[in-house]
Amino acid sequence: MNKMPDMSNVSINSIIPVEILQRIFCLLPRIDLRIVVLVCRMWRDIGEDAILWTRGPIFLSSRDDLFKLDIRRLKYAQEIRVRCQLESLELEELLRVVIGLPKLKIIGLNCYNLSSVDPDLLAMIVNSIDTVVISDCNLTNQQVETIFATISEDTKLKKLWIHHNNLSTVEPAVLATAVSKIEVVNLMITNLTGQQTTCLLTQATGPGSKLQRLVLNSPKDEQLDEQIIKQARDTIKELDFYRGNMAYGEKLQLV
């Protein structure tokens, strides 16, 4: 009777090919991958492959997480969402790191005070990423003016959530040109004037506009031209107006 070979001193790495380990690691959730890379040098080298870390968002939940963005496995992160309070210098450090992430498509910074961030740096970030969420960020006049001026020239941006920020100082023509270059924009509760809204809707219905969905407030004390509203509704795939917390569109007439 043949005896079973003694496998007690045989490393699993000598039995399972690297290709098989790669396939196994691809099936693991990110929380398990974090443990896998700690097992041994070989598993770390395989588990650090950036391709394994492109699935789902990277959440920055503490200040220490800022340093993780330099790790090889996060080089090709496609989505980053910040869940921790950061100081001004830390925010700028984060944004400067983000600029160097070649595959980043989505960044979420909503509900963080970004008022101290350099306007040019913030505009550069917004202008170079597919989807940006900077709603309720206490943006300054200079910041929003710089952001929309930069977008109006040329942009890679497709979706922008910038609601709950004051945009009333942005030049109407600049705002309109910028918005017409984006596919999805949320401008709810941004203190837009009647002139800004009229200019925005007029340009959004013109030739060359990429706008597909727009969310904004109706000016409180100013009446918009019904013909402009009708044309905008006929042209833009989704046009949502908000008054206070009540949504109204096709079923509720503007006054």
Side-chain angles (χ1 to χ4, degrees):
M1 185 175 178
N2 295 329
K3 293 184 178 180
M4 292 292 292
D6 183 8
M7 304 291 290
S8 59
N9 295 321
V10 178
S11 169
I12 190 172
N13 293 338
S14 64
I15 301 174
I16 304 179
V18 171
E19 293 79 7
I20 300 299
L21 283 174
Q22 289 173 330
R23 292 188 180 187
I24 293 173
F25 290 178
C26 281
L27 301 175
L28 297 177
R30 187 173 292 156
I31 189 171
D32 291 334
L33 277 176
R34 291 171 181 166
I35 299 175
V36 161
V37 297
L38 300 176
V39 171
C40 65
R41 179 175 296 180
M42 180 177 176
W43 284 27
R44 184 192 65 192
D45 291 341
I46 299 173
E48 290 279 8
D49 190 331
I51 295 176
L52 299 175
W53 298 85
T54 58
R55 301 167 293 168
I58 301 294
F59 291 102
L60 303 183
S61 302
S62 70
R63 289 177 170 82
D64 293 338
D65 287 346
L66 287 177
F67 302 103
K68 294 179 182 179
L69 293 176
D70 290 328
I71 299 176
R72 180 167 64 94
R73 63 172 178 259
L74 301 185
K75 181 179 179 181
Y76 296 108
Q78 296 184 8
E79 179 177 357
I80 291 177
R81 295 192 178 272
V82 180
R83 286 183 168 180
C84 59
Q85 291 298 329
L86 300 174
E87 301 296 334
S88 300
L89 292 178
E90 292 171 327
L91 278 170
E92 291 221 0
E93 179 184 355
L94 168 63
L95 295 178
R96 294 187 189 281
V97 170
V98 163
I99 293 175
L101 299 178
K103 299 295 184 180
L104 189 65
K105 294 182 178 180
I106 303 173
I107 185 167
L109 293 165
N110 48 307
C111 300
Y112 289 93
N113 187 347
L114 301 180
S115 60
S116 63
V117 175
D118 178 75
D120 291 326
L121 174 61
L122 190 57
M124 186 186 303
I125 294 294
V126 172
N127 210 38
S128 61
I129 297 177
D130 183 283
T131 301
V132 176
V133 183
I134 48 174
S135 54
D136 197 12
C137 287
N138 197 29
L139 299 179
T140 67
N141 293 342
Q142 185 180 2
Q143 285 175 324
V144 296
E145 290 164 9
T146 303
I147 287 172
F148 284 101
T150 304
I151 295 173
S152 67
E153 295 176 1
D154 191 23
T155 187
K156 295 181 180 179
L157 183 66
K158 293 182 179 180
K159 300 177 183 179
L160 175 63
W161 278 261
I162 196 171
H163 52 88
H164 291 81
N165 288 291
N166 183 7
L167 306 183
S168 62
T169 64
V170 181
E171 189 70 28
V174 172
L175 179 66
T177 300
V179 170
S180 69
K181 292 179 180 289
I182 311 172
E183 295 177 7
V184 178
V185 187
N186 190 329
L187 301 177
M188 185 178 67
I189 311 181
T190 51
N191 299 328
L192 294 185
T193 66
Q195 183 182 4
Q196 285 176 311
T197 305
T198 299
C199 189
L200 189 158
L201 293 178
T202 301
Q203 184 143 343
T205 58
S209 175
K210 297 179 181 179
L211 190 62
Q212 298 180 18
R213 186 183 181 208
L214 175 64
V215 183
L216 72 168
N217 274 72
S218 173
K220 295 180 180 178
D221 302 319
E222 301 177 67
Q223 185 173 358
L224 297 178
D225 186 279
E226 293 183 3
Q227 185 58 37
I228 293 177
I229 297 298
K230 182 179 183 305
Q231 186 176 0
R233 283 180 173 156
D234 291 341
T235 306
I236 303 172
K237 288 184 179 180
E238 295 183 54
L239 176 60
D240 299 321
F241 285 94
Y242 281 78
R243 175 171 296 163
N245 294 321
M246 296 296 292
Y248 71 109
E250 298 293 334
K251 297 181 180 179
L252 188 60
Q253 293 297 319
L254 287 170
V255 295

